[in-house]
Amino acid sequence: MMFIDPHIHMCSRTTYDYLVMREYGIVAVIEPAFWLGQPRTNAGTFKDYFSSLVGWERFRASQFGIQHYCTIGLNPKEANNEALAAEVIELLPLYACKEGVVAIGEIGYDDMTEAEDKYFCQQLALAKELDMLVLIHTPHRNKKAGASQSMDRCIEYGLDPSQVVIDHNNEETVEEVLGRGFWAAFTIYPQTKMGNARMVEVVRKYGCVSAAGRDNVRRIIVDSSADWGISDPLAVPKTAQLMLDRGIPEEHVRAVCYENALAAYSQTGQMKASDWLNPQSVDQRQMFSGNSVLRGQEPGIKSVSDYVLIE
C-alpha cells in the first residue's frame, strides 16, 4: 500500500529516515513551516528556512524517491513576537506561490492571544487572496475552543471548508470539524496528540458504520507531525497496519492514509499522483546549489539492510 504523510517536519529528520520511509511505502510528504524550538531573532532566519523548504529539502527527498511538498506560514507560537511577525508576514507572498507549496500553514492558535488572532487572520486573508488551501494548527491547550474559533475565522474570511485542513484533532473536536465540512487531520504523536490505537477507533466510529460515516471517512487524514521531539516518521504506515489488524476495511485505510490527503492537497494543482507514479529517475550524483545528498557514500539508493552494520 502507498502512503502519504501530509504533516511531517523533515528538516528535523535524517536522510536515513527518508530511506526507511520509502521502504515502508511513503511516496510523498508535506512539510509545514513551523517553529524550530528556539525563538528566531530576525526575519532573515525565516527567509532561509522558507528557502530550504522549497529548495534543499525538496531536493533531498527526491534523491530517495519521495516527493516533497510544503506549506508556508507563520506558526502561531511565533506570532507573539509582533515586531518580528510583521516582517515575516511581508515575506509570505514571496514563497506562497512557489513550486511545491500546497497551502498556507501551519497557522492558527497556540495560547489564543490577541497577537495570534491578528496574524492568523492576516494569513487567512492572504490565502483567500491567492485562492490557496489552509492548514490549521489547533492548540494543545483548550483545543476544542481553539478548533471552533479557527473554523469560525475561516468562514468569516470567506474560505470554503473544503479548502481548509484542521489538524491535530482528537475525540473532542472530530464531530464538529467533520460536521462543518472541513478536512479533519489527526496527528499520531506520543503523549500530546493522538495515539494509533485511538486513531483506529476514530476511523471505526466515523468511517465505517453508516452512509454518513462513509462520507466522513473521505475527509479524515492521518499524519505523523514527526519533528525534533520524540516522534515517529513511520507513524502513518504503522497506524495503517494496526487498522488492518483490527478489522478496518482496506479501502478505508487507503482513504485515510493516502487518498484523502491527495484529494485535499491536489486542489492546488501543485500535487498530483503522477509525481510519484511516473517519477523522474534518481541520480544521487546530482547537485543542489553545489551540494549533493551524499556524505561520503557511494551514489545509488540503498536498502535499510545495507546500513545495519557500519564497517
Side-chain angles (χ1 to χ4, degrees):
M1 186 180 293
M2 291 187 296
F3 302 106
I4 296 172
D5 190 337
H7 188 146
I8 183 167
H9 300 290
M10 292 308 300
C11 73
S12 303
R13 314 302 306 194
T14 70
T15 296
Y16 184 80
D17 290 325
Y18 276 128
L19 193 63
V20 178
M21 290 162 65
R22 188 69 182 87
E23 289 205 358
Y24 273 73
I26 295 175
V27 294
V29 297
I30 298 174
E31 178 162 7
F34 85 138
W35 69 291
L36 299 179
Q38 174 173 308
R40 283 178 272 200
T41 57
N42 63 81
T45 63
F46 283 87
K47 188 175 181 180
D48 288 341
Y49 174 58
F50 295 152
S51 295
S52 73
L53 292 181
V54 300
W56 168 254
E57 204 55 55
R58 184 172 171 83
F59 170 77
R60 188 167 71 114
S62 73
Q63 296 299 286
F64 291 87
I66 293 179
Q67 300 298 314
H68 180 282
Y69 310 88
C70 70
T71 74
I72 293 293
L74 174 68
N75 192 277
K77 196 175 184 70
E78 296 178 298
N80 292 301
N81 181 341
E82 288 207 59
L84 181 57
E87 293 185 58
V88 177
I89 290 292
E90 295 297 317
L91 286 175
L92 298 184
L94 302 178
Y95 290 91
C97 296
K98 288 190 179 294
E99 184 178 3
V101 178
V102 295
I104 299 294
E106 52 183 305
I107 61 176
Y109 298 111
D110 184 46
D111 283 329
M112 299 185 71
T113 64
E114 289 185 10
E116 290 172 16
D117 188 57
K118 174 182 175 181
Y119 292 106
F120 178 40
C121 290
Q122 289 188 14
Q123 292 181 92
L124 292 178
L126 176 64
K128 180 64 178 177
E129 177 185 347
L130 299 177
D131 191 25
M132 292 188 70
L133 270 66
V134 174
L135 171 61
I136 302 288
H137 164 96
T138 52
H140 298 172
R141 302 167 295 279
N142 210 10
K143 181 178 289 290
K144 187 170 175 56
S148 295
Q149 187 166 319
S150 296
M151 289 184 282
D152 291 344
R153 287 284 188 260
C154 289
I155 298 300
E156 182 183 336
Y157 278 82
L159 293 163
D160 189 291
S162 67
Q163 293 183 301
V164 181
V165 178
I166 307 292
D167 208 349
H168 312 324
N169 281 285
N170 62 19
E171 294 85 348
E172 276 191 325
T173 60
V174 55
E175 287 198 18
E176 182 183 358
V177 172
L178 291 174
R180 296 178 70 171
F182 291 82
W183 294 93
F186 294 81
T187 296
I188 311 302
Y189 198 104
Q191 307 297 327
T192 58
K193 295 183 176 72
M194 171 62 67
N196 49 19
R198 288 163 57 202
M199 190 69 234
V200 173
E201 297 310 312
V202 168
V203 173
R204 193 191 308 281
K205 181 173 182 178
Y206 295 97
C208 300
V209 295
S210 66
R214 286 187 56 79
D215 180 61
N216 284 338
V217 80
R218 289 195 287 267
R219 286 185 283 118
I220 291 174
I221 295 171
V222 178
D223 61 64
S224 74
S225 196
D227 55 20
W228 46 262
I230 296 174
S231 51
D232 187 356
L234 298 179
V236 174
K238 287 180 180 177
T239 303
Q241 186 59 54
L242 188 63
M243 289 181 191
L244 293 171
D245 293 345
R246 297 191 176 183
I248 302 295
E250 184 174 332
E251 65 179 288
H252 292 180
V253 177
R254 186 182 303 109
V256 301
C257 295
Y258 175 79
E259 293 173 344
N260 293 354
L262 176 59
Y265 289 103
S266 65
Q267 295 180 83
T268 64
Q270 290 284 336
M271 181 180 185
K272 49 190 181 300
S274 59
D275 292 347
W276 52 87
L277 295 178
N278 303 299
Q280 294 183 345
S281 60
V282 174
D283 179 356
Q284 293 184 339
R285 294 168 298 184
Q286 292 178 335
M287 299 281 194
F288 180 86
S289 296
N291 296 306
S292 81
V293 296
L294 301 174
R295 302 286 288 164
Q297 300 93 358
E298 294 294 321
I301 293 179
K302 304 289 186 180
S303 71
V304 173
S305 60
D306 293 328
Y307 294 94
V308 172
L309 293 175
I310 299 174
E311 298 180 356

